[in-house]
Amino acid sequence: MADAASRKPVASVSVRALPDRGRVLCHGFIESVTFVPANQVASFIAIVIDHDAPAPKPRTVAINAAPANRVPAGAQRQRTSGPKDRLRVVWLGRRRIPGVDAGTELRLEGMVTMRDGLPTIFNPRYEILSRQEEQ
């Protein structure tokens, strides 16, 4: 409990400036969300882009089956060679999160790691900053 009180506030960084590993605070727009079928392990995945980029057009992806060619476990933590312009956010054990849709602006806090060449945060703390009106 004393550890939580002594934790220093983390400065917010852009998605492009994310480190390969470590605790981060960032915010951006959700570019797309992915729903997995009921016969797979529950997870809700969102792709986040920088907050200074224009708001994306809403896009939803549904995964119908597991990919035929899986990436070997050792290759999942490889660094990307170019700039990081997207962040994958994964909520394990959830099929849906109310208010988290494509076009929504979020503030995220969590541990970032590289997975499949993309910075990824699993089960972050999040705050919905805005919602896109459906019209």
Side-chain angles (χ1 to χ4, degrees):
M1 189 168 241
D3 185 39
S6 66
R7 211 172 88 194
K8 296 178 182 176
V10 181
S12 181
V13 297
S14 69
V15 171
R16 293 172 198 248
L18 286 172
D20 287 344
R21 296 182 70 162
R23 179 162 294 282
V24 296
L25 173 66
C26 66
H27 69 280
F29 288 99
I30 295 180
E31 181 181 53
S32 63
V33 295
T34 304
F35 302 101
V36 295
N39 63 354
Q40 291 184 6
V41 176
S43 65
F44 182 71
I45 303 165
I47 301 296
V48 177
I49 59 173
D50 265 332
H51 67 280
D52 56 359
K57 294 179 183 176
R59 190 176 91 183
T60 302
V61 178
I63 296 178
N64 292 328
N69 53 354
R70 293 244 340 137
V71 176
Q76 290 181 347
R77 292 182 178 93
Q78 293 178 351
R79 291 180 160 213
T80 58
S81 58
K84 303 170 213 150
D85 57 352
R86 286 175 170 66
L87 167 68
R88 178 188 303 127
V89 182
V90 181
W91 284 274
L92 299 171
R94 304 285 301 264
R95 296 213 179 266
R96 183 101 173 100
I97 297 178
V100 177
D101 295 310
T104 302
E105 188 176 5
L106 289 179
R107 179 177 297 131
L108 302 161
E109 181 182 358
M111 294 296 288
V112 67
T113 185
M114 294 299 287
R115 299 294 283 183
D116 299 326
L118 198 60
T120 304
I121 298 178
F122 290 93
N123 296 329
R125 291 181 177 179
Y126 67 96
E127 178 183 356
I128 298 173
L129 300 176
S130 69
R131 290 191 63 187
Q132 184 177 21
E133 296 297 323
E134 295 182 29
Q135 289 188 0

